[in-house]
Amino acid sequence: MSLGKFVSFEGTEGVGKTTAINGLCERLQAQGIEYVRTREPGGSPFAEQLRELLLDTRTQINDDTELLLMFAARSDHLAQVIMPALSAGKWVICDRFIDSTVAYQGYGRGFGNADMLHKIEALIAGFVPCLPDITLWLDLPVAEGMQRAGKRSVADRFEQQQLDFFDRVYQGFEAQQQAQPQRIQRIDAQGEVEQVADRIWQAVSQQL
Ligand code: Z5A
């Protein structure tokens, strides 16, 4: 039986997920709520190895291979980290989950075509035993996120994509939020860090 809450964060590049998760974890700690903070792709030792390959600019794979590797990483992450934590009554705070697959592999790589989306749906149905209780989609114009992210790091294999790719990814998140408004809450990611943290806490505290 699952007792803990499963919270995922989603959004295009540089929207502020890491910053927002820091804020949420501080507030959970203040409430005395035990949580496990994790991320995808990755989160377990084997999935972190796959993450390195997936983000490495030298990796040359086709779209189906990328999709299957995302699910291989997720399967291990679920088995090793997510399900045990939830069963132990802990909250799981996950930086990206299945909605990133729909957005990046389904809309970014697959242009939102039905074939790719059906493959993803089948993989979710077959290999994902539980969906997040709440997903926070940090909504920020793509260009603004890129500007925030650009201040910081060297581009990985996904960050090297062109603007039209990220526009499609954004459309993927938007479409999913519209299709599943109960689970996926849109959070305005513009404004000061504290303002965004307050919006997130308002959404999450309804789960308490
Ligand atoms: N991927 C996929 O394709 N399919 C899948 O199924 C999954 C993932 C699960 C790795 O993700 C890649 O994997 C990702 C999709 C793909 N590629 N991309 N793009 P990731 O989450 O590790 O990488 P990311 O999306 O690029 O995240 P990020 O760059 O780490 O950004 P972030 O965590 O959302 O943002 P941040 O680090 O908190 O903030 C970015 C900067 O903005 C930073 O300098 C902050 O100080 C600043 N910031 C944050 N909040 C604010 C506010 N409110 N105002 C001003 N500045 C701010």
Side-chain angles (χ1 to χ4, degrees):
M1 186 178 63
S2 168
L3 299 167
K5 296 283 179 197
F6 184 7
V7 183
S8 64
F9 281 75
E10 298 284 4
T12 43
E13 196 198 347
V15 291
K17 292 177 286 89
T18 308
T19 309
I21 291 172
N22 290 342
L24 175 61
C25 288
E26 275 173 25
R27 293 184 193 211
L28 290 178
Q29 215 159 346
Q31 298 280 325
I33 294 172
E34 265 197 279
Y35 63 86
V36 170
R37 178 178 181 163
T38 188
R39 67 174 182 182
E40 289 210 342
S44 62
F46 178 68
E48 286 291 327
Q49 286 182 287
L50 291 180
R51 178 188 176 95
E52 271 188 39
L53 291 172
L54 281 160
L55 299 192
D56 192 332
T57 51
R58 293 166 302 180
T59 297
Q60 292 189 350
I61 47 176
N62 68 27
D63 294 349
D64 282 346
T65 306
E66 181 178 281
L67 176 65
L68 291 169
L69 286 174
M70 287 293 174
F71 272 90
R74 178 162 299 136
S75 171
D76 191 64
H77 184 212
L78 277 159
Q80 304 292 334
V81 177
I82 297 177
M83 298 310 290
L86 292 174
S87 300
K90 294 178 187 164
W91 285 42
V92 171
I93 312 301
C94 193
D95 189 340
R96 299 193 180 281
F97 195 59
I98 49 165
D99 304 298
S100 279
T101 313
V102 177
Y104 282 82
Q105 280 64 55
Y107 281 76
R109 301 281 193 225
F111 293 84
N113 76 50
D115 181 42
M116 192 60 156
L117 295 177
H118 286 151
K119 284 179 188 168
I120 295 171
E121 276 169 26
L123 286 164
I124 293 173
F127 297 103
V128 178
C130 69
L131 298 182
D133 294 294
I134 179 170
T135 294
L136 302 154
W137 167 43
L138 301 196
D139 182 6
L140 189 73
V142 170
E144 208 173 314
M146 285 181 147
Q147 207 184 5
R148 284 184 185 176
K151 286 185 190 156
R152 208 193 32 189
S153 63
V154 179
D156 65 31
R157 205 168 62 83
F158 290 96
E159 290 163 351
Q160 284 185 335
Q161 296 299 314
Q162 302 302 311
L163 191 60
D164 60 340
F165 174 87
F166 290 105
D167 283 339
R168 292 197 300 278
V169 170
Y170 180 93
Q171 286 165 28
F173 284 123
E174 194 174 37
Q176 289 173 95
Q177 197 279 326
Q178 284 167 4
Q180 301 174 72
Q182 298 279 29
R183 173 174 69 84
I184 307 177
Q185 301 218 9
R186 178 190 166 277
I187 303 288
D188 179 2
Q190 283 179 311
E192 297 298 318
V193 169
E194 267 308 311
Q195 284 178 305
V196 179
D198 286 345
R199 290 174 197 140
I200 288 166
W201 185 243
Q202 206 179 354
V204 170
S205 51
Q206 288 166 12
Q207 298 282 329
L208 291 173

